Amino acid sequence: MTTAQQHRTAARLGAAQGVLGADQVREFIREQLDAVDADGRSVCVLVPDGTRTCPLPLLLGAVHAALHGRVSRLTTLIALGTHQPMSDAAIARHLGFEEGALEATYPGMTVLNHEWWRPETFADLGTIPAARLAELSGGRLGLDVPVKLNKAVVEHDIALVVGPVLPHEVVGISGGNKYFFPGVAGQDIIDVSHWVGALITSAEIIGTTAVTPVRALINEGAALVPTEKLSFCVVGEAGSRNLHSISFGDTITAWADAAEVCAATHVHHLDAPVRRVISLVPEMYDDIWTGAKGFYKLEPVVADGGEVILYAPHITQISTSHPEILEIGYHCRDYFVKQWDRFQHIHWGTLAHSTHLRGAGTYDAETGEERLRVKVTLATRIPEEVCRAANLGYLDPDSLDLAAEQAAGSFVVPDAGEVLFRLRSRRIDLIGRH
């Protein structure tokens, strides 16, 4: 099914050109929710964590205003995936209220972190059979996948996803059902979905508006969710909190509609490859696990033998939640595939993250030689010996003169991590389209 066929019933305000006013957004949200059968029903609102840019206080405030007094219960669930939990202070800033004043700002609303580290917080929705996974993944994997989801979702009548749509290294374009899987999902489907994406490779899948094998898998998992699933998918203006558009519908139609806008606003094209990239990683990414997005979005435009420097003086750790990445370091896909017996016990999501940051390369199992297409260098506060041990380069961030780099021809990218760069001559040809 094409995205055009999928989104025919989605409602949209805005387009790739121009930005929306706050009152326009509030009115749109009110109009859409007024038409939803929500009276006397419970609603779970799924929102992103602090690693996504959008005017969340505006959006959540409008949702609350439209639903408060109508619904029997209103819960906001922060879709962490497996990121660090947000502190009370961070949640207050993120959602737009003074710390300790949730009830004053959002009367009757409960806010929850997705506690992915606590098995008792999950509901078991069933299993995606091995044969079906093989079909969805284009034959790449074939195993039974247990589908577990934060039980807060299934304990409400309506699940309302509210968040941005952006190019994504695992699924192609984020948003929609991705807020369930991996947003508030159990480890099994997270690992499988991420490894399918890694087998395709980030450079191949990122920015794809079609239903990729990974998108098909998470849609399959979402079909097991008994709750009614709706979504406000927004596309922001790069570098600001303004919105180009907001789409509303079920979690498939709204996503498909917004994905087309995202492809027009968040995929920038260069005429020729670049040799040296200085990727300025914003402070909303507090470790390399999240800050690696500054590499994913640039890899497609780097020349063979070129270099991406992740400039993030505020980052002090590779990962705050996944220390196992230090056991394996960063390597290309084939390094793991050709030594599967050695690495299959590691969470596949961790293996996928490793390949996404290290990018394209080859591995010769006979000689043990790994050849990587580009160099990845960290200009952070992570010690040099840690960077080298993780198979990454090191550069003292204080030694970088950004103005001089730009004058010398380096491609300096501010606020890296959400805008994808591709070569104008490169056409995405998704492998294994199902």
Side-chain angles (χ1 to χ4, degrees), residues 53-340:
T53 300
C54 74
L56 194 53
L58 168 64
L59 299 171
L60 187 59
V63 168
H64 180 271
L67 295 179
H68 180 57
R70 292 178 58 197
V71 300
S72 62
R73 182 160 52 111
L74 186 62
T75 301
T76 291
L77 178 62
I78 300 172
L80 293 172
T82 58
H83 295 170
Q84 278 286 94
M86 298 186 74
S87 67
D88 290 345
I91 290 173
R93 290 192 300 271
H94 189 49
L95 302 185
F97 62 91
E98 294 294 324
E99 188 176 0
L102 172 63
E103 180 63 21
T105 307
Y106 298 108
M109 188 176 81
T110 301
V111 177
L112 302 173
N113 268 315
H114 168 55
E115 296 177 315
W116 52 268
W117 57 95
R118 295 180 58 205
E120 65 270 24
T121 64
F122 291 101
D124 188 344
L125 303 185
T127 299
I128 298 173
R132 180 60 175 152
L133 176 61
E135 181 183 357
L136 295 169
S137 68
R140 293 179 178 86
L141 288 178
L143 70 160
D144 290 343
V145 185
V147 180
K148 294 185 178 180
L149 192 70
N150 191 301
K151 62 185 181 182
V153 175
V154 300
E155 290 174 352
H156 289 72
D157 300 311
I158 299 171
L160 177 62
V161 172
V162 179
V165 170
L166 295 161
H168 193 270
E169 63 279 1
V170 174
V171 70
I173 298 280
S174 70
N177 282 330
K178 188 177 177 297
Y179 276 79
F180 301 119
F181 308 100
V184 294
Q187 190 70 53
D188 294 293
I189 194 166
I190 290 177
D191 279 349
V192 170
S193 62
H194 279 65
W195 191 236
V196 170
L199 291 173
I200 296 170
T201 73
S202 169
E204 183 68 25
I205 207 169
I206 193 168
T208 304
T209 57
V211 176
T212 65
V214 182
R215 173 65 63 176
L217 173 58
I218 66 175
N219 285 349
E220 190 83 3
L224 299 175
V225 180
T227 308
E228 182 179 358
K229 298 173 288 293
L230 301 172
S231 184
F232 285 107
C233 291
V234 302
V235 178
E237 180 184 47
S240 84
R241 298 273 170 173
N242 294 323
L243 294 181
H244 285 299
S245 70
I246 178 170
S247 301
F248 179 75
D250 63 55
T251 48
I252 292 179
T253 62
W255 168 79
D257 187 73
E260 292 187 355
V261 181
C262 174
T265 59
H266 281 69
V267 182
H268 295 181
H269 292 88
L270 303 184
D271 290 324
V274 292
R275 295 289 307 176
R276 183 173 168 94
V277 176
I278 315 294
S279 185
L280 307 185
V281 178
E283 293 193 5
M284 69 177 178
Y285 305 123
D286 60 5
D287 61 5
I288 293 302
W289 188 274
T290 54
K293 290 181 183 294
F295 173 79
Y296 311 150
K297 303 298 194 301
L298 275 304
E299 181 190 4
V301 296
V302 182
D304 291 351
E307 181 179 22
V308 177
I309 298 171
L310 297 180
Y311 177 77
H314 62 282
I315 289 180
T316 61
Q317 299 181 71
I318 295 283
S319 176
T320 54
S321 300
H322 302 276
E324 66 272 16
I325 188 64
L326 297 175
E327 297 176 28
I328 62 171
Y330 289 89
H331 300 278
C332 69
R333 175 195 62 189
D334 290 356
Y335 181 88
F336 298 115
V337 170
K338 294 184 178 181
Q339 303 180 86
W340 193 237

Side-chain angles (χ1 to χ4, degrees), residues 35-47:
V36 171
D37 179 17
D39 291 1
R41 304 173 74 194
S42 57
V43 178
C44 181
V45 183
L46 288 87
V47 299

